[in-house]
Amino acid sequence: MGTLLSFNQKRQMKYSDQQVKLLSEMLHGIKILKLYAWEPSYQRKVMDIREREVDVLKSCGYLTAYSMLTLTCIPFMVCFIKVFLYADLFNVLPVAVVSGWLKSIALQYLKNIVSLATFGVYFFLDKENVLTATKVFTSISLFNILRLPLFDLPSVISAVAQTKVSLSRLEDFLFAEDLNPEDVDTNYSGNHAVEIFGASFCWEKNGPPVLKNLTVSIPEGSLVAVVGQVGSGKSSFLSALLGEMEKLEGSVHRRGSVAYLAQQAWIQNGSLQENILFGTNLNRSYYELVLESCALLPDLEQLPNGDQTEIGERGVNISGGQKQRVSLARAVYSNADLYLLDDPLSAVDVHVGKHLFEKLIGPSGLLRSKTRVLVTHNLTILPHADLIIVMEEGKISEMGNYQELISKRANFVELTQVFSAEKKNEKSTPNEGENICIVSSDQWKKLRNNKEKVATGGDLFIVDIRFHYYLRMWLNCTLDVIGTILVITFSSPLFIVVVIPLGYMYFIIQRYYIASSRQIRRLAGASHSPVISHFTETILGGSTIRAFGHQERFIRKNNDVVYENLVYFYNNVISNRWLSVRLEFLGNLMVFFAALFVVLAGNSVSSSAVGLSISYALNIIQSLNFWVRKACEIETNAVSIERVCEYANMDKEKPWITSKRPPAGWPDRGIIEFVNYRAQYRKDLGLALNDISFQTRNEEKVGIVGRTGAGKSTLTNCLFRILEGSGGKIIIDGIDISTIGLHDLRGNLNIIPQDPVLFSGTLQSNLDPLGKHSDHELWEALELCDLKSFVESLPKKLLHEISEGGENLSVGQRQLVCLARVLLRKTKVLVLDEATASIDMETDNLVQSTIKREFYNCTILTIAHRIHTVMDSERVLVLDAGRILEYDTPQNLLQRKGAFSEMVAEAGITR
């Protein structure tokens, strides 16, 4: 039985982990699932795991029920067997003792096995052993002590099975091999900041090498630029310097302290100032200098509480560019010797990028005396670099300063040629201004305040496993208490006089305990959230934490939040002990009065009734204790059911499919019309879009521009009905999109989103989760976006496993996978939302040319982040504060000398 329970518990925990992991991924990438109308596919995945988990839970339930039924029935079976086979045993006992004993066996559960066996052995050991009422009563009283452990035996078996599984998993984790700190020599005393000799690295032990035969020397105080195509090993190069990869051969030497900026910014849940200080003391003058150098002062003016504004988990209430600059400010404030910066300029606009380079990273910036290793796709800064490292397929293909590499006319020249072709249209290749955040600061605070109303995995665990256990135990105890009171009252009718006031006292104690226990549990739950949040945050930022050398600080912080949680847990235990003492006292009062009434009754009560009454009175102590405790557990944990029901009944999106469906092939022209359209994110907030009216032509290419907060991303959200309008219409090819189902709308539109989100699973499932396309079509799409050779080099090719969040692919490769998704589902309308921010110039050129070639007959809306893309548009829509300022061809807008003309002039674009 124990083995079966252990096996099923292991399976249940496995499916539970899979479900939590998948749901976490889905929540992180929920916008992508909705934009592509992929909910049914992932809903099936969740339900499949859930059904398997429920099957295992049923098996565990059946095993537990069988175990309890067996343990409950055995006493009765043994009793009847003993009565019929060993009748002589009962003949030598007094009639009163036999009567009381049989009644006790018939009504009491597990202890009767022990008592019956003990009496039988006692009788057969010696013919002179005679059972008397005194001996039987004393023995049964002692057997009562064993009742609770035997009653809990099935639960103990289940708990042992769960503990065994958890311990084995913890053991696997704790005994996992750590990174070798000696892979990187940090006590280097040579003449350079970094020295690498013939080093090769891989991500996993015994895995294929990712970086091969690296040899490079980086002088102190130099600016080193690392360039190369997508997947060439640029970010891995920084990871190797940090000691985050397995070293296969060679040597790595590094001197001084390190500051690291990851390509995907890591933000802590705390104030903006806390994120920048990162555990160090505040030096006000240097802090303000860092804010100015990182171009954060204008952002502080927009935030409600300045640098004291609380940033949500993963920076939910600030934009991507703000996250990047906060992370950069954290690195700068650390005042380290060596700075490893992974493409910090990719998420900011041209002005901010220029500011960061001139005031911070460049030869005249704040970090001019520091050693800076900068991964970048912005080739305009390369002439200012002291050393340029060109990566290709995990190797250093070229190395030298700008003039040396130009004179060699090798791979580096190819990169610059691609860039130069684009410079004909603009002097730099910036990103456009950051998008307005969907979650504002006040919304985030509201979300945090309402956390208790949101169902969690813990709530589902209580509903699945704990609640019915508490309910079953409470019913058992209720019947036990009622039966016990009836038996005692039958033997001593006066006992009913005592039951009523004692019952009232039980009720008072229960109410007082529940009121206190509920608050203690709420505090314990609130203190548990920081434990999980801090742990998750630490895992996500592990490389950054190790780079800054703050491991001990985060360990102390973890100990602090765990200790705070344990304080409330201890108080919860103490409250339980408080309850137990009082319940034990009341139970002993019942025993006292039961015995007192028997004594007062004298000879009018038979010895069997006396034994039965007293033995049942002894039982009631534990029964009442359990009854009150389980009643409290039921009331407390019923909150989980309420939260799950509330979550299930929350306001949902409009229907996926309605009775009115668009015709096949819709949209066939791609004409989009906004008619007096208005939208707002919340009723108490102002309009994000106000009186928007414009119309595209058939198969037209429209650029959408505007400064931060203009409403560009809001326009996209409204087009896909991520945000429902509060007035006006959006008409696509004659159909008001509000009149059709969401999947009929989203399934016929196309988008390359700003964030390249991937999900754990195969590459094939990430490209085509609905299974609509053949392998041939998948390979064609990969070839068009220059990923075919990379995928062919993978051992499992299309079945290559993508890790959670696509972490085993570079950010550029993830963006190309998103492009492949779009190529697979060609529609008449395509939206580009900062589609090329994380890729190099050559890949950007590939993406742009692929889009122009494959979607030449489509309507394309481009949220402009690279200005030359907008300049090639047929018309440009200029937004400001949710309103349309201008809408015309780029040439006409330039002649008007209006808002668009000012943007072009500020960007330094020439024709």
Side-chain angles (χ1 to χ4, degrees), residues 39-56:
E39 296 102 325
S41 174
Y42 281 85
Q43 185 182 46
R44 285 195 298 271
K45 289 183 180 181
V46 173
M47 293 309 298
D48 180 58
I49 296 174
R50 178 63 177 163
E51 286 172 3
R52 283 181 282 172
E53 183 186 19
V54 169
D55 288 339
V56 174

Side-chain angles (χ1 to χ4, degrees), residues 34 89 180 283 357 478 589 591 604 624 647 727 810 877 886 899:
K34 292 188 175 301
L89 170 65
N180 185 3
N283 180 337
F357 190 78
T478 300
L589 282 180
V591 174
S604 62
L624 281 171
Y647 186 77
S810 71
L877 179 71
E886 299 174 325

Side-chain angles (χ1 to χ4, degrees), residues 168-202:
S168 64
R169 289 159 55 125
L170 284 172
E171 189 179 64
D172 292 339
F173 173 75
L174 294 174
F175 282 97
E177 192 170 353
D178 293 330
L179 289 168
N180 185 3
E182 297 180 359
D183 280 351
V184 177
D185 175 20
T186 57
N187 298 317
Y188 181 57
S189 58
N191 298 324
H192 293 84
V194 175
E195 287 272 10
I196 304 177
F197 299 101
S200 298
F201 301 87
C202 64

Side-chain angles (χ1 to χ4, degrees), residues 45-72:
K45 289 183 180 181
V46 173
M47 293 309 298
D48 180 58
I49 296 174
R50 178 63 177 163
E51 286 172 3
R52 283 181 282 172
E53 183 186 19
V54 169
D55 288 339
V56 174
L57 288 172
K58 285 181 180 178
S59 299
C60 291
Y62 291 146
L63 288 172
T64 303
Y66 174 75
S67 174
M68 295 195 68
L69 179 64
T70 303
L71 291 172
T72 303

Side-chain angles (χ1 to χ4, degrees), residues 483-532:
T484 301
I485 291 175
L486 289 177
V487 169
I488 297 174
T489 304
F490 178 78
S491 301
S492 305
L494 285 176
F495 186 72
I496 193 68
V497 178
V498 178
V499 168
I500 295 174
L502 287 180
Y504 178 74
M505 292 177 66
Y506 267 104
F507 177 78
I508 295 298
I509 290 173
Q510 178 187 354
R511 290 292 92 193
Y512 187 79
Y513 167 77
I514 287 178
S516 304
S517 177
R518 187 188 298 115
Q519 293 301 324
I520 292 174
R521 290 196 179 208
R522 182 173 288 114
L523 291 171
S527 66
H528 183 68
S529 295
V531 176
I532 301 301

Side-chain angles (χ1 to χ4, degrees), residues 525-580:
S527 66
H528 183 68
S529 295
V531 176
I532 301 301
S533 175
H534 183 264
F535 180 77
T536 304
E537 198 172 69
T538 304
I539 294 297
L540 291 174
S543 58
T544 301
I545 294 167
R546 287 189 291 268
F548 282 84
H550 283 220
Q551 298 96 314
E552 290 300 324
R553 182 169 72 86
F554 274 78
I555 290 172
R556 288 196 303 271
K557 175 66 174 178
N558 181 74
N559 291 338
D560 290 341
V561 293
V562 169
Y563 176 77
E564 184 177 357
N565 179 247
L566 289 176
V567 167
Y568 293 114
F569 178 77
Y570 174 76
N571 279 277
N572 187 44
V573 172
I574 292 300
S575 68
N576 288 333
R577 294 306 93 208
W578 179 92
L579 177 66
S580 296

